[in-house]
Amino acid sequence: MTAVQFGELPFLKEDVEVYSCAYSPNGKSLAVGLYRGDIKVYSTSSWEHDRTLTGHQLEARSIGYLPNGNQIISGSADCTARLWDVEAGACRYTLVGHKGIVKGVASAPCGGSVASASDDSTVRVWDVQTGECRLTLTGHRGALSAVSYSPKGHLIASVGWDDKSMRLWDVQTGDCLHTLKGHTSYIGGVIFSPRGDRIVTSSSDTTLRIWDAETGACCRVLTGHISSVRNAAFSPQGDIIASASDDKTVRMWDADTGVCRQILPGHTSWVRCVVFSPEGDRIACGSADKTVRVWDVGSGGTRQITGSHRGAVSSVKCSPRGDRLASCSQDRSIRLWDMETRDCRRILTGHRSPVKSIAYSPRGDLVVSGSDDCTVKLWDVETGTCCQTFNGHTNYVYVVAYSPQGNQVASGSRDRSVRIWDIGTGECLHTLRGHTNWVTSIVYSPKGNQIASSSYDSTIRLWDVESGVCLHTLRGHNRGVTSTVYSPRSDLLASSSSLDCTVRLWDVETGECCFIFIGHTKGVGIVVYSPQGGQVASGGNDGLVKIWDDGTGECLHTCTGHTKGVTNVVYSSSGDQIVSGSEDKTVRLWSVASGQCQAVIQDLDSTIRSIAWSTRPDIGYFVTGCEDGSVSMWKVVEDGGVCHVRVQWRSVNGELDVTETSIQDVHGLSQLNKQLLKQRGAVGTPLHADRLRDVSKQVLSMVSVVSNLKQPLTGETLEPPVSNLDNENRNSRNSRNSQLNRKLIRACHRHHLRY
């Protein structure tokens, strides 16, 4: 089983929307501001509700602890700010003066004053001891949304919802030092870095901006969210920025490079606020889905976002040495990534239209690309320069391939031709014509002496590379052919059709069809060979991944789980695992030996368009490219662990009654993960089963929930407590209980979860 989530901890389920949250300075408490105006305080060690602060008449829009940890400042839609004594659970002062909703509050580092920002266009500074207004800052046009103190307390930053600007104020004089503009829509949040040298603003234009606090210059624009960014927070060390968005995610950014490192999914509605714990090891985020979710930063997420294109990703490819990655996109660019640092090393620009296909040279020093601008380009990986532009195609170039010897590249186009190019001279060596519809795929044989091309004309053609002569035209598919691949020995060729629902295996020497693999109920878009040969995997529009034996034609495994069409299938470099991507926005990891799903990566933002597995078996990375432009790197983590599940049922009048059966406990989990499991409804609640089969199904469902937790688990044993059976019936029921228990154990074993 492979870990696919980023250290999720128990979430706090409220009965109304969550507007704000704040950690206490010592990290032992988390305060949550709610829609009805209440502020709830939780213990972060047990996640038990500690106390509730009541007084606001409308939603608590913003909250924050004062440095001493004993007081909370809050702002509300009732046009007031309130100062609370946490220990007593009482309101010390109601700060009255604003004539509009108070959307932002902040405490001075010294704790002597607090600031509030309102829809009435003003920022007010209040004395903590007396509750009186010391200063009113005016200058914004329209509603304000947030306010922040600098670490030294001498500056206040405020952002305007309507005027789309940030203003820096001198706290002593009330003078406006800078008015900073750049966002193209409403600004929702502002925060100083821990050193006070930078300021981050978040906006409805889907971006964050990092500003120099001294000069007012915009240093960097962070892009990646696909909807409004509500809020942002700096880690205590200042090296990470977390952002909360209406796209239901929290993103983790490198504060120095601006690279998005992680995406934290899970919320089902807008994420309104995000805060770091004082130690920086946890993040809490509150959402309109009525939950507060807490993430363990120290666990190290397995999903690492290396960056984003500005258009859908067409293809991703790993270099032969496995140390680099190339991705191409509808945004007309190619990006080169370092697999170790996850940094984008180069952005290759030059194509005038979307880039559809890329391929590395055998040595990994060159990359070839094909584009809708009808050209093929050759790029130097080290310098990022374009070495050659191959002109000749008269329509979109869909596919490109590098020869195993590295002296040629081939390209297939919508103009129905395949062209072979000399990379040294740029000359077109052969134009291979014969297809009557556009070319969908091309592939060199492992020996490099043949090229196979497929087309929407329902045929595959085998070409001699040296002479350009067509050796065989493979006919049999009755609809367009979408994918072809040679066996590692070059003696067989597999092909798939997007519409006739079949995969065919061909003898390269004779051109005869050896096997027709029938089993998919909808078109088959992708077919791949295992690295060692002997097996073929296919992905269909029916959501199935199938593994076939190329010697017998037998279907070895049918991998079920995707709910929409499979867009990509890739074998691991060792050949013992398969990764599949789907239009259902999930990625699944499968065991080749058993056909069982070992992991599911969910909560992705868009359809998977391309997958590449690292060519180095020791690395264990695979990469996905999505329609939203994101390129994500995933690490396969191997580990072991055992989870024991205890199920309780009862007997009535000597008969075993499973209607109130419940999972009582799960041994092998931490207390936090047990609590998370309970919150997901897996433990302690009746299964409402009518039959033993229903119990088995729901136990498997619970095990599936466990599979998404942070710890490595394996469903192992189920032990119904005999003590719950009536004494007089105990002996008579033992035999039946044993049989039932064995059935449940077998059901659980069929769903083993192993890292």
Side-chain angles (χ1 to χ4, degrees):
M1 182 63 197
T2 299
V4 296
Q5 290 199 354
F6 177 83
E8 186 182 1
L9 296 170
F11 57 87
L12 309 175
K13 181 68 176 176
E14 304 293 349
D15 56 357
V16 293
E17 294 180 19
V18 177
Y19 268 85
S20 51
C21 53
Y23 267 101
S24 63
N26 61 12
K28 294 182 178 181
S29 298
L30 179 72
V32 179
L34 302 176
Y35 174 78
R36 59 173 168 259
D38 295 346
I39 299 168
K40 286 190 174 182
V41 181
Y42 291 88
S43 165
T44 57
S45 58
S46 64
W47 297 110
E48 296 294 331
H49 175 225
D50 187 22
R51 65 188 69 245
T52 300
L53 310 179
T54 59
H56 283 301
Q57 302 304 307
L58 295 172
E59 61 262 29
R61 288 296 188 96
S62 180
I63 58 176
Y65 273 90
L66 272 64
N68 60 17
N70 297 324
Q71 297 179 84
I72 287 176
I73 177 67
S74 62
S76 170
D78 63 11
C79 304
T80 69
R82 286 178 179 254
L83 196 63
W84 306 86
D85 185 308
V86 178
E87 190 64 30
C91 177
R92 286 190 58 202
Y93 295 109
T94 299
L95 310 179
V96 179
H98 285 296
K99 298 178 181 179
I101 296 172
V102 181
K103 291 181 177 176
V105 292
S107 170
C110 65
S113 63
V114 292
S116 57
S118 168
D119 276 0
D120 65 8
S121 307
T122 69
V123 175
R124 288 178 177 260
V125 180
W126 310 84
D127 188 291
V128 170
Q129 295 300 320
T130 64
E132 295 179 355
C133 180
R134 289 182 181 176
L135 190 63
T136 301
L137 309 177
T138 59
H140 281 288
R141 298 188 306 276
L144 304 189
S145 51
V147 63
S148 177
Y149 272 94
S150 66
K152 295 181 180 178
H154 66 299
L155 297 175
I156 285 179
S158 60
V159 288
W161 182 258
D162 293 328
D163 64 13
K164 308 178 185 113
S165 72
M166 175 178 65
R167 287 178 177 252
L168 286 181
W169 310 87
D170 186 300
V171 173
Q172 295 299 320
T173 64
D175 294 335
C176 179
L177 305 178
H178 294 291
T179 300
L180 312 180
K181 295 187 176 183
H183 285 293
T184 58
S185 189
Y186 313 129
I187 304 176
V190 61
I191 187 75
F192 275 91
S193 67
R195 295 195 305 268
D197 57 337
R198 291 174 293 178
I199 304 171
V200 169
T201 53
S202 51
S203 169
S204 294
D205 64 11
T206 74
T207 71
L208 297 98
R209 286 179 177 257
I210 304 177
W211 309 83
D212 186 295
E214 185 174 352
T215 66
C218 180
C219 309
R220 197 176 297 276
V221 180
L222 310 183
T223 59
H225 282 295
I226 58 175
S227 191
S228 299
V229 186
R230 294 266 181 166
N231 199 270
F234 265 102
S235 66
Q237 296 77 23
D239 57 337
I240 300 174
I241 298 170
S243 57
S245 169
D246 283 1
D247 64 12
K248 308 174 188 177
T249 69
V250 172
R251 287 185 177 241
M252 306 282 286
W253 310 83
D254 187 298
D256 293 323
T257 66
V259 173
C260 181
R261 292 301 186 184
Q262 280 99 16
I263 292 181
L264 311 182
H267 283 293
T268 58
S269 188
W270 308 333
V271 187
R272 286 192 165 122
C273 56
V274 59
V275 290
F276 277 91
S277 65
E279 296 80 14
D281 58 341
R282 291 182 180 180
I283 293 174
C285 43
S287 167
D289 65 7
K290 306 178 184 179
T291 68
V292 177
R293 290 181 181 264
V294 183
W295 303 86
D296 185 353
V297 179
S299 68
T302 56
R303 180 181 184 186
Q304 303 191 40
I305 300 302
T306 51
S308 297
H309 285 279
R310 294 182 181 274
V313 176
S314 307
S315 180
V316 290
K317 294 291 172 64
C318 287
S319 66
R321 290 182 297 179
D323 58 340
R324 292 189 179 179
L325 169 77
S327 60
C328 64
S329 168
Q330 299 287 332
D331 66 6
R332 300 179 290 181
S333 75
I334 300 150
R335 291 180 179 239
L336 304 180
W337 313 88
D338 188 300
M339 294 281 276
E340 295 296 330
T341 65
R342 326 298 194 252
D343 292 333
C344 179
R345 299 289 299 275
R346 305 278 182 197
I347 300 178
L348 312 181
T349 58
H351 283 296
R352 300 186 305 276
S353 295
V355 185
K356 290 295 180 64
S357 180
I358 50 175
Y360 268 100
S361 66
R363 292 189 300 177
D365 57 336
L366 298 171
V367 167
V368 63
S369 60
S371 168
D372 283 359
D373 64 8
C374 309
T375 69
V376 177
K377 288 181 179 286
L378 193 67
W379 308 86
D380 186 294
V381 170
E382 288 301 322
T383 64
T385 58
C386 180
C387 311
Q388 293 276 4
T389 298
F390 306 120
N391 295 295
H393 285 294
T394 58
N395 211 323
Y396 304 155
V397 179
Y398 279 148
V399 285
V400 292
Y402 232 108
S403 68
Q405 293 77 21
N407 60 334
Q408 297 175 353
V409 294
S411 55
S413 169
R414 192 168 180 170
D415 66 10
R416 307 175 185 179
S417 73
V418 175
R419 289 178 178 257
I420 302 176
W421 311 87
D422 185 295
I423 66 167
T425 64
E427 177 188 358
C428 180
L429 301 176
H430 299 291
T431 300
L432 313 179
R433 301 186 187 278
H435 286 297
T436 58
N437 208 326
W438 67 64
V439 178
T440 57
S441 73
I442 54 172
V443 59
Y444 275 92
S445 65
K447 295 179 181 178
N449 60 327
Q450 285 185 5
I451 287 176
S453 61
S454 64
S455 168
Y456 273 129
D457 65 8
S458 306
T459 69
I460 303 103
R461 288 179 177 259
L462 304 184
W463 310 87
D464 181 83
V465 171
E466 186 66 29
S467 64
V469 173
C470 180
L471 303 174
H472 296 290
T473 300
L474 311 181
R475 304 180 188 276
H477 287 292
N478 55 37
R479 298 293 178 89
V481 183
T482 53
S483 179
T484 54
V485 60
Y486 277 95
S487 68
R489 299 190 306 271
S490 297
D491 58 336
L492 297 172
L493 181 81
S495 63
S496 66
S497 171
S498 63
L499 294 173
D500 73 4
C501 310
T502 67
V503 175
R504 289 177 178 253
L505 195 65
W506 309 86
D507 186 297
V508 171
E509 187 67 30
T510 65
E512 295 180 354
C513 180
C514 306
F515 293 109
I516 302 175
F517 301 146
I518 299 175
H520 286 286
T521 58
K522 293 184 179 180
V524 186
I526 185 72
V527 61
V528 292
Y529 241 106
S530 65
Q532 293 77 23
Q535 291 181 354
V536 174
S538 58
N541 293 334
D542 53 8
L544 301 179
V545 176
K546 287 180 173 283
I547 303 174
W548 312 85
D549 188 302
D550 73 353
T552 65
E554 177 188 1
C555 179
L556 302 175
H557 301 293
T558 298
C559 308
T560 60
H562 287 299
T563 58
K564 293 184 179 180
V566 177
T567 58
N568 221 276
V569 177
V570 178
Y571 271 93
S572 67
S573 51
S574 60
D576 58 350
Q577 292 174 310
I578 288 175
V579 172
S580 61
S582 169
E583 292 177 347
D584 64 8
K585 302 180 183 179
T586 69
V587 175
R588 289 180 177 261
L589 184 70
W590 310 90
S591 166
V592 171
S594 66
Q596 294 296 310
C597 181
Q598 296 181 309
V600 183
I601 303 173
Q602 300 177 344
D603 301 311
L604 298 176
D605 296 326
S606 68
T607 299
I608 313 300
R609 287 303 176 200
S610 185
I611 302 177
W613 200 296
S614 170
T615 51
R616 287 173 54 186
D618 60 310
I619 290 183
Y621 286 112
F622 64 89
V623 179
T624 57
C626 293
E627 199 168 71
D628 64 0
S630 65
V631 179
S632 307
M633 187 180 298
W634 310 82
K635 185 173 183 179
V636 179
V637 181
E638 299 292 337
D639 201 352
V642 174
C643 170
H644 297 266
V645 182
R646 185 164 64 89
V647 177
Q648 178 175 320
W649 44 45
R650 63 176 181 168
S651 67
V652 178
N653 298 326
E655 293 295 324
L656 189 64
D657 179 12
V658 298
T659 58
E660 295 300 314
T661 299
S662 62
I663 298 168
Q664 293 299 300
D665 201 0
V666 183
H667 300 287
L669 284 178
S670 69
Q671 286 300 119
L672 289 178
N673 278 346
K674 283 184 181 180
Q675 186 173 346
L676 181 56
L677 201 61
K678 289 179 180 178
Q679 287 179 335
R680 295 189 177 188
V683 175
T685 56
L687 299 181
H688 300 297
D690 295 326
R691 297 169 299 171
L692 178 65
R693 182 178 299 176
D694 297 328
V695 175
S696 298
K697 286 182 179 179
Q698 297 202 44
V699 169
L700 296 187
S701 177
M702 188 283 303
V703 175
S704 178
V705 171
V706 173
S707 71
N708 283 326
L709 298 180
K710 191 173 64 174
Q711 293 188 342
L713 305 172
T714 301
E716 184 77 1
T717 60
L718 297 168
E719 301 175 1
V722 177
S723 59
N724 285 336
L725 301 177
D726 296 337
N727 290 331
E728 65 270 24
N729 296 316
R730 183 176 301 162
N731 294 331
S732 63
R733 310 310 303 171
N734 269 350
S735 175
R736 185 178 180 185
N737 286 343
S738 178
Q739 294 173 4
L740 294 172
N741 190 33
R742 284 198 297 272
K743 289 180 181 179
L744 282 171
I745 292 172
R746 285 199 296 272
C748 200
H749 279 168
R750 284 198 297 271
H751 199 78
H752 260 205
L753 309 171
R754 187 170 300 282
Y755 280 80

